[in-house]
Amino acid sequence: MIEKTIDHAAVPAILLVGVLSLPLCAQTAGGEPGFESLFDGESLEGWVGDKSSYSAADGVLSSKQGAGGNLYTARQFADFAFRFEFRLTPGANNGIGLRAPGTGDAAYTGMECQVLDNTAKQYKNLKPWQAHGSIYGVAAAERGALKPAGEWNEQTILCQGDRVSVTLNDQVILDVDLAEAAPDGKTIDGREHPGLFRKSGHIGLLGHGAVVEFRNLAVRELPPPGP
């Protein structure tokens, strides 16, 4: 998301400990231990929301051009690592809903991690917290790790308590404590984010009218952070 009018190898140690301490159970299609696939490659089974705005075939889940609906996991998650690959089209804009309730604007009722072609001319005046990998309106991600439109990227988002980490193409681009980023609930965009400290919710794909392709979507549930 940009404005409403136009609408994971290196991982911070504090989070990596939680990932490695879990039993090796489910695997993704790529064989990564401990992760459970969220997408069967051919259908939207296990997802809810605006299914008409997305298509699924040949291992790829894609948002449709001109359709801006949100697609959510049927299950809810509290502390987790969400791993996926994505491919942008030029100028594409999408988002990843985190701990979202499935209603309202996920950027405010939960969190939204930006998915965006930073290089597009129409985004030349981006605010830092609008760039790819940022928590929209709350925390700005570093730039430079995103591959050009048309190439596949790998990304992992970890949510554990109030800490959120984003790793893009093996580079940590965001590692933030939400309580520090929004003291007393005050965010850098000056907006109300009532869902910022939700303890659990859905993972979502938040369409903004452009084609973005996703594949190998998988999740690993984590224990809550220690004292």
Side-chain angles (χ1 to χ4, degrees), residues 8-13 15-22 24 28 31-35 80-86 113 132-133 145 153-159 164-175 216 218-220 222:
H8 160 359
V11 174
L15 297 174
L16 186 58
V17 169
V19 174
L20 295 181
S21 66
L22 292 179
L24 303 185
T28 68
E32 180 67 23
F35 281 81
F80 60 89
F82 174 48
R83 175 176 286 180
F84 60 98
E85 297 175 52
F86 68 94
C113 181
H132 178 87
N153 296 267
E154 298 179 357
Q155 183 162 308
T156 299
I157 303 171
L158 288 89
C159 293
V164 179
S165 171
V166 179
T167 303
L168 174 64
N169 298 321
D170 295 333
Q171 179 176 327
V172 177
I173 62 172
L174 180 74
D175 181 17
N216 296 329
V219 67
R220 184 172 190 174
L222 305 177

Side-chain angles (χ1 to χ4, degrees), residues 37-167:
S37 177
L38 292 172
F39 175 47
D40 63 14
E42 298 295 336
S43 77
L44 297 179
E45 183 177 357
W47 295 81
V48 297
D50 187 358
K51 294 186 177 183
S52 65
S53 293
Y54 294 82
S55 63
D58 302 322
V60 175
L61 196 166
S62 178
S63 56
K64 296 179 180 179
Q65 182 67 39
N70 298 339
L71 190 67
Y72 295 100
T73 56
R75 291 167 53 196
Q76 297 192 37
F77 302 92
D79 298 286
F80 60 89
F82 174 48
R83 175 176 286 180
F84 60 98
E85 297 175 52
F86 68 94
R87 182 165 61 183
L88 299 168
T89 53
N93 183 12
N94 201 284
I96 304 297
L98 304 171
R99 295 176 178 157
T103 57
D105 189 329
Y108 305 102
T109 61
M111 290 182 282
E112 178 175 353
C113 181
Q114 284 279 71
V115 174
L116 187 78
D117 177 15
N118 291 333
T119 66
K121 291 182 179 180
Q122 66 262 44
Y123 304 140
K124 64 181 180 179
N125 295 320
L126 281 181
K127 296 179 176 63
W129 45 263
Q130 294 176 310
H132 178 87
S134 299
I135 302 302
Y136 186 85
V138 178
E142 297 180 9
R143 300 196 191 192
L146 186 67
K147 295 180 181 179
E151 297 185 23
W152 285 102
N153 296 267
E154 298 179 357
Q155 183 162 308
T156 299
I157 303 171
L158 288 89
C159 293
Q160 197 167 34
D162 288 344
R163 200 159 196 96
V164 179
S165 171
V166 179
T167 303

